[in-house]
Amino acid sequence: MLFAAGCNLRCPFCHNPELVMGSGDLCIEEALGFLRTRVGKLQGVCVSGGEPTLMPNLAALLMEIKALGFAVKLDTSGTAPQILGSLLEKELVDYAALDVKTSPAKYSAACGRSIDHELVRESVRLLQSSGVPHELRTTAVPGLVELTDIQAVGEWLGRVRRYVLQQFRPGKTLDPEYRWRNPYDQTWFGQAAVLAQSWADEVIVRGV
Ligand code: SF4
């Protein structure tokens, strides 16, 4: 897994405060040097963050990774559809995981800053039309993601292929107020999964 430092969002529940406040880059030569020692041992590389699409040299990095024979998984918040679209067009992504933070009404609160949530919908559309396998994923943070938000996400995005509901882990979070917030229990995830099944072909619950 490669982590790009820097992020355009400030999700209060974020578990990577050091990365988020980072410089917005990743040393390509260092990363490639490491990957060259893993040829034949690893099948794929996940490029995560922070937010990888902030990297000015992301396309070049992905090209190099693919030239070494690795498949590429990209983690993104989906707030840069133009960049995502260009990577998809160049066939540099083999699998993508795109964060759907919550319903449109709470999007900016979940991102910790004012965000045009329609950029995320545009990224979802680009993934859907690209044919690249992908998942949309929501971290179920109490207060930011309620059952009504799961319903609203479906109304907002329409039919999707794979939707992942993942457990929120309190502890080291960007906003200290979230460090002691109690995660949802299995019952909540069961109810949320039933709701999501009405608009997602496949629903996965992770980390519960
Ligand atoms: S959780 Fe939010 S702030 Fe943290 S890296 Fe992801 S998008 Fe950025």
Side-chain angles (χ1 to χ4, degrees), residues 7 9-11 13-16 20 49-51 77 99 101 174:
C7 188
L9 306 185
R10 292 292 181 270
C11 310
F13 56 90
C14 179
H15 281 173
N16 293 317
V20 166
E51 176 50 47
S77 64
D99 292 339
K101 303 287 182 192
L174 195 57

Side-chain angles (χ1 to χ4, degrees), residues 104 148-160 195-196 198-200:
T148 49
D149 296 305
I150 304 296
Q151 185 89 34
V153 167
E155 286 160 14
W156 174 43
L157 296 180
R159 191 99 210 140
V160 307
L195 286 172
S198 66
W199 51 266

Side-chain angles (χ1 to χ4, degrees), residues 9 20 24 60 66 77 90 92-93 103 105 110 126 129 132 142 151 154 166 174 180 190 195 201 206:
L9 306 185
V20 166
K66 288 188 75 70
S77 64
K90 292 176 181 151
L92 293 174
V93 179
S103 61
L126 287 168
S129 57
V132 169
Q151 185 89 34
Q166 55 189 21
L174 195 57
W180 297 279
L195 286 172
D201 295 340
R206 204 173 270 162

Side-chain angles (χ1 to χ4, degrees), residues 23-95:
S23 62
D25 218 339
L26 179 153
C27 177
I28 287 197
E29 276 320 308
E30 211 176 296
L32 291 173
F34 168 77
L35 289 175
R36 281 185 197 108
T37 69
R38 292 294 180 274
V39 173
K41 296 174 186 153
L42 291 177
Q43 286 189 321
V45 176
C46 175
V47 182
S48 189
E51 176 50 47
T53 59
L54 293 183
M55 290 175 62
N57 42 16
L58 179 60
L61 173 65
L62 300 190
M63 266 180 223
E64 296 273 8
I65 292 174
K66 288 188 75 70
L68 289 173
F70 297 112
V72 168
K73 173 180 180 259
L74 180 71
D75 287 347
T76 179
S77 64
T79 51
Q82 278 188 325
I83 293 170
L84 178 64
S86 157
L87 298 175
L88 293 170
E89 220 167 84
K90 292 176 181 151
E91 301 184 349
L92 293 174
V93 179
D94 299 292
Y95 189 88

